Amino acid sequence: MADNDWKKRLGVVFSTNPDYRYEEETQEQQETLPPEKQKLIVSIDRRNRGGKQVTLVSGFTGTDEDLADLARTLKVKCGVGGSAKDGEITIQGDFRDKVTALLTEMGYKARRGN
């Protein structure tokens, strides 16, 4: 049944060749750079958030698991919620100075954006 997962093949044209095998592309995860080689930018964002402010950490290069671990650490240290997706960490509220200090303490090259 795993060979007949139609959701993975949306947009593929039907083939009448009985020997045809659909091969899906595999996305390779980037290898996580060590903290001293990461250049992170800590900025504030207000767009499309109903007037609420969030602290945005961008520029992370690595796997989604490592990004989620870093986001979890920052959220716990700041005592607020947030998320980690698409290579960016979102922390609820204006914590630019605190997040920048925490990241440099952890060994990352972090600078304050705006």
Side-chain angles (χ1 to χ4, degrees):
M1 198 66 181
D3 292 337
N4 197 16
D5 189 10
W6 60 272
K7 290 181 182 178
K8 292 182 182 178
R9 293 183 275 129
L10 285 176
V12 176
V13 179
F14 179 74
S15 175
T16 56
N17 184 357
D19 296 328
Y20 177 76
R21 299 289 296 164
Y22 177 72
E23 297 174 11
E24 54 185 81
E25 297 178 13
T26 56
Q27 292 182 342
E28 293 183 20
Q29 287 275 341
Q30 293 184 14
E31 185 177 318
T32 303
L33 294 176
E36 54 274 355
K37 292 191 178 185
Q38 300 268 6
K39 294 180 181 173
L40 303 178
I41 299 170
V42 181
S43 60
I44 194 158
D45 189 24
R46 294 180 190 95
R47 287 177 278 158
N48 300 328
R49 302 186 195 281
K52 307 281 188 204
Q53 296 178 343
V54 295
T55 304
L56 201 63
V57 180
S58 58
F60 185 84
T61 305
T63 62
D64 292 336
E65 292 84 22
D66 292 335
L67 179 69
D69 289 341
L70 180 61
R72 189 175 306 112
T73 303
L74 292 176
K75 291 188 298 184
V76 167
K77 298 271 186 174
C78 293
V80 294
S83 67
K85 56 184 162 184
D86 300 330
E88 291 183 339
I89 299 172
T90 306
I91 306 288
Q92 295 174 353
D94 186 4
F95 290 96
R96 289 177 287 183
D97 295 330
K98 189 171 185 176
V99 169
T100 304
L102 287 169
L103 287 172
T104 52
E105 193 176 287
M106 295 166 114
Y108 290 92
K109 290 182 182 176
R111 67 179 180 88
R112 188 173 164 174
N114 55 356

